[in-house]
Amino acid sequence: MTEEQSREQEEQRRFGWAAARRRLASDGEDRDGDHEAKERTRLRPSGQIGRPQRRWGMEAEAREAPRPEDTPAPKPGPVQPLTEPAPLHNVANASAVRPRTPEPAAPPAAPAEPRRGNAQLESAKIRLHELLIEELEQGALDGMPPDKQREAVRKAARELISQENIQVSGSRDELIESVADEVLGLGPLEPLLRDPSVSEVMVTGLDRIYYELNGRILRSSARFRDNRHAMRIIERIVAPLGRRIDESSPMVDARLPDGSRVNITIPPVSPKAPTITIRKFMADKMRMADLIAVGSLSEETAEFLAMCVRAHLNIIISGGTGTGKTTLLNALSSFIPNTERIITIEDPAEVKLQQEHVITLESRPPSMEGKNAVTQRDLVRNTLRMRPDRIIVGEVRGPEAFDMLQAMNTGHDGSISTVHANTPRDAVARLENMVLMAGMDLPQRAIRDQIASAVHLFVQVSRLQDGSRRVSHVTEVSGMEGDTVTLQDIFLFELDHVDADGRVHGALRPTGIRPNFASKFALAGIELPPDIFDRERRVA
């Protein structure tokens, strides 16, 4: 070993790798005159000598980077580069201090993980669920009312937790309720379905479950464990209905036992994950007084609509999805006299009438073989032979519109239906298009004449930016002018202001126009209040 190498080792031993690097950087040119070798030889961050490593996209920067010999030797100080070992402190006996090993750089922060809940609780839930399946005999819960079924599952779960010594980090009752939801209900969706304040539940991914509360969409902390878990819940929804969902039939419209509407899609239609959309069926429907209390419409408008129903006017409720069309239809139906025979046609059945003489008809999708479907148009045609006093079509969405207009024009006054449209004018165009879907080669003028003579009133329901649902138009169909169906607004929503919290303030006020069908009220023995259409008094 040469004297120079011995001196370098002594430097490394006494002062660490930082001093050795500085020495190599300062006198490397003196030791090696070969310029090419000097270019190849670089120091790694650890202080070792090696060939420079090439990184993608960094070739130009590497060529332009300064060489160690071009960089002046750093002055001693407290600076600690991330890639360098920490320098020694100024102590009396430096040889007794060992160089400190550099700490590895922290890995880059991972993106925020969706809320996954308690891992130990999930593990205990899976274990307890498996034990319950083994413990409960097949058919043991059949024939029992729902509350007794749930109590039996709770009792069995408590016994299994004690026997198997299942460790629970948290509330034992929470674990038992979660497992009962898995055994008897729809798993993580069940608490949302039980909450009466939740109107819709939407699943867009395994850990992305949303719900609608007071018109606002919020995210839930609930989640599915994996695709198998989600598919098991989906099968539980469709199996009792005799429906099938798989790759050959990846979309299903179904209904829960409580009447809630369900739409399900699975891959390949929704390639990322299965989706579930549940519109809950409210057992306690909002009455007209409830709609007035929440500000959906004014008392004067509610009084006017009640008189229209009693006078056997044909009413179309129009609005977008989720605006409350069916809710308003239920509220209006309460004004139908109890002595009349009412037939409802729906897909699926949602209207809940309080009268005694009610017949509910529901369309049926085709079977697995694609046969035996019963459409709403078939039901409307059949209804005409059932001597109805009132025909209520839950939602007109296809060729049944032609038969419904025919019924309204042939003595079945007082019919009520809903249609998807953004304005009353759009509702007229939608009805016209749906009549054409029936395959009838009718001229446009004839179709519009049918609409103008059949429909008396459009009631437009809108959903405002703050999530509230309001009646925005009460519009009369006044007749035809040339080839155009003429409309005139009787009541119109007027915006006052939007406050700092985003809440919309306004009211449904009369326009001052008296409808042309006012004479029908006198024939029905209904007396109109003299000032119900007085705009100046209402605004004042």
Side-chain angles (χ1 to χ4, degrees):
M1 181 180 297
T2 65
E3 183 179 325
E4 186 179 58
Q5 291 174 340
S6 300
R7 187 168 60 254
E8 288 179 3
Q9 289 185 359
E10 179 65 15
E11 288 284 335
Q12 294 173 11
R13 185 181 66 80
R14 293 180 59 196
F15 300 106
W17 285 109
R21 292 190 64 189
R22 288 195 297 271
R23 181 173 178 79
L24 286 170
S26 63
D27 63 359
E29 184 174 336
D30 297 333
R31 295 200 318 268
D32 191 351
D34 187 355
H35 183 75
E36 183 179 356
K38 182 173 61 179
E39 283 290 318
R40 290 196 307 264
T41 305
R42 298 290 175 88
L43 289 174
R44 294 179 181 172
S46 63
Q48 300 173 3
I49 300 175
R51 296 177 65 85
Q53 294 185 356
R54 174 179 173 183
R55 291 185 295 170
W56 292 108
M58 301 295 291
E59 185 175 2
E61 291 85 342
R63 287 198 299 266
E64 297 173 1
R67 297 194 301 267
E69 57 267 24
D70 298 332
T71 305
K75 297 179 180 180
V79 181
Q80 300 182 14
L82 293 177
T83 59
E84 294 279 342
L88 297 178
H89 295 285
N90 209 2
V91 294
N93 187 9
S95 61
V97 181
R98 297 289 184 269
R100 287 184 288 182
T101 305
E103 296 182 1
E113 190 74 12
R115 293 167 285 185
R116 295 184 178 273
N118 190 324
Q120 186 177 1
L121 182 64
E122 287 294 324
S123 178
K125 186 193 302 183
I126 295 172
R127 173 66 177 152
L128 185 56
H129 188 198
E130 293 173 349
L131 292 172
L132 273 172
I133 293 175
E134 298 175 1
E135 182 73 15
L136 295 173
E137 297 180 2
Q138 186 174 4
L141 302 177
D142 293 347
M144 298 174 61
D147 54 339
K148 296 294 183 181
Q149 289 181 347
R150 198 168 189 87
E151 187 57 39
V153 171
R154 288 173 181 162
K155 182 179 178 181
R158 292 190 190 97
E159 294 176 355
L160 287 172
I161 290 175
S162 301
Q163 294 174 6
E164 301 294 332
N165 194 24
I166 297 176
Q167 300 298 323
V168 181
S169 61
S171 172
R172 177 175 293 194
D173 291 338
E174 180 183 353
L175 172 62
I176 293 174
E177 290 300 322
S178 297
V179 173
D181 290 339
E182 292 288 342
V183 174
L184 301 172
L186 300 183
L189 306 182
E190 197 66 30
L192 296 173
L193 296 176
R194 282 199 299 266
D195 189 344
S197 61
V198 173
S199 57
E200 295 201 33
V201 180
M202 296 151 280
V203 179
T204 60
L206 298 180
D207 56 359
R208 294 192 301 276
I209 299 176
Y210 300 88
Y211 61 96
E212 183 180 3
L213 180 66
N214 297 327
R216 303 270 184 172
I217 295 179
L218 306 173
R219 183 170 180 176
S220 169
S221 59
R223 70 183 305 274
F224 291 98
R225 290 189 296 272
D226 48 35
N227 278 323
R228 291 179 59 189
H229 186 199
M231 289 304 300
R232 187 170 69 246
I233 299 302
I234 289 174
E235 289 292 342
R236 187 170 296 170
I237 294 173
V238 301
L241 306 175
R243 307 290 294 278
R244 180 185 68 182
I245 184 166
D246 51 29
E247 289 188 1
S248 62
S249 179
M251 298 184 296
V252 165
D253 277 318
R255 190 176 62 206
L256 297 180
D258 65 351
S260 300
R261 286 165 47 179
V262 185
N263 178 270
I264 301 171
T265 63
I266 64 171
V269 171
S270 53
K272 293 184 178 180
T275 68
I276 305 173
T277 306
I278 301 176
R279 178 170 295 180
K280 291 176 60 178
F281 178 82
M282 300 301 177
D284 297 328
K285 291 293 183 181
M286 296 184 73
R287 296 165 297 181
M288 190 60 73
D290 300 322
L291 295 177
I292 296 172
V294 298
S296 293
L297 73 168
S298 61
E299 292 185 16
E300 294 79 13
T301 307
E303 181 182 6
F304 174 72
L305 293 177
M307 290 187 289
C308 291
V309 172
R310 295 193 186 103
H312 282 74
L313 298 184
N314 295 321
I315 301 173
I316 300 291
I317 302 172
S318 61
T321 301
T323 54
K325 300 185 298 297
T326 305
T327 300
L328 181 59
L329 191 153
N330 272 294
L332 289 179
S333 68
S334 63
F335 299 114
I336 299 176
N338 199 34
T339 57
E340 296 187 9
R341 177 179 171 88
I342 309 168
I343 300 179
T344 66
I345 300 167
E346 297 179 87
D347 178 26
E350 289 182 309
V351 178
K352 188 176 182 181
L353 303 185
Q354 304 300 322
Q355 290 80 359
E356 295 181 1
H357 201 160
V358 178
I359 299 174
T360 301
L361 303 179
E362 184 178 18
S363 63
R364 185 178 68 183
S367 63
M368 297 174 63
E369 294 79 15
K371 302 178 181 179
N372 303 322
V374 179
T375 65
Q376 287 198 104
R377 187 177 188 188
D378 298 330
L379 295 177
V380 172
R381 288 173 174 175
N382 187 75
T383 299
L384 301 179
R385 304 182 184 96
M386 298 175 67
R387 199 236 169 254
D389 289 318
R390 305 263 185 167
I391 300 175
I392 296 179
V393 182
E395 181 183 337
V396 180
R397 58 168 71 99
E400 65 272 6
F402 174 76
D403 299 281
M404 184 193 70
L405 293 175
Q406 289 285 87
M408 291 179 175
N409 276 319
T410 54
H412 296 90
D413 291 334
S415 299
I416 309 174
S417 184
T418 70
V419 65
H420 277 83
N422 294 324
T423 64
R425 176 61 63 186
D426 290 344
V428 173
R430 282 271 295 158
L431 287 174
E432 185 178 339
N433 291 336
M434 288 186 288
V435 169
L436 293 173
M437 292 170 61
M440 300 295 178
D441 190 15
L442 296 175
Q444 190 178 62
R445 170 70 190 225
I447 297 174
R448 292 178 179 178
D449 279 337
Q450 287 262 9
I451 296 173
S453 61
V455 181
H456 297 105
L457 199 67
F458 284 101
V459 181
Q460 180 71 34
V461 189
S462 302
R463 183 172 178 172
L464 305 185
Q465 64 183 34
D466 60 353
S468 61
R469 298 168 172 87
R470 306 284 187 94
V471 174
S472 59
H473 299 72
V474 176
T475 304
E476 178 196 12
V477 181
S478 56
M480 293 280 295
E481 285 187 6
D483 291 339
T484 303
V485 178
T486 57
L487 306 176
Q488 59 182 12
D489 295 326
I490 309 301
F491 292 87
L492 193 63
F493 178 81
E494 295 181 355
L495 175 67
D496 293 335
H497 68 280
V498 180
D499 63 20
D501 296 329
R503 288 193 292 268
V504 177
H505 296 266
L508 190 66
R509 299 186 176 102
T511 60
I513 298 175
R514 187 179 181 87
N516 295 326
F517 54 69
S519 58
K520 290 182 175 291
F521 294 134
L523 293 175
I526 299 172
E527 183 178 354
L528 277 173
D531 59 349
I532 192 171
F533 306 117
D534 187 353
R535 174 176 174 77
E536 294 181 0
R537 195 185 76 84
R538 299 297 177 184
V539 174

